[in-house]
Amino acid sequence: MVPQVGWNQISQRATHPLFGGIADQAFFYFVHSYYCEASDVQVVIGQTDYGVTYASVVAHDNVCGVQFHPEKSQAAGLRLLSNFARN
């Protein structure tokens, strides 16, 4: 179901430095009119449910991608950006 505008939770599917200090099921701010379907589920480290469950955080080697806006996601988003910059 898209578009999605507002707060939603991330279910952490894997331990990853990007999630350091961020609780499972933390809320992040989403503004989008699409979502991706990962062809390799091994890269999906976070998922979100919004009528369907979709990949909202992916990571492979030194590449990470998120479906939400970390800069608009208050403390959890700032922590995620800090983790990204450190790792």
Side-chain angles (χ1 to χ4, degrees), residues 10-40:
I10 304 292
S11 296
Q12 297 177 18
R13 293 181 32 123
T15 301
H16 192 277
L18 201 58
F19 291 136
I22 299 172
D24 188 27
Q25 301 297 321
F27 281 87
F28 290 85
Y29 191 74
F30 289 78
V31 178
H32 61 90
S33 59
Y34 63 91
Y35 62 89
C36 72
E37 292 184 17
S39 60
D40 180 0

Side-chain angles (χ1 to χ4, degrees), residues 30-67:
F30 289 78
V31 178
H32 61 90
S33 59
Y34 63 91
Y35 62 89
C36 72
E37 292 184 17
S39 60
D40 180 0
V41 296
Q42 298 300 318
V43 302
V44 178
I45 63 169
Q47 61 188 30
T48 298
D49 182 63
Y50 190 70
V52 297
T53 300
Y54 63 90
S56 54
V57 187
V58 295
H60 180 70
D61 295 335
N62 65 339
V63 177
C64 299
V66 299
Q67 182 70 39

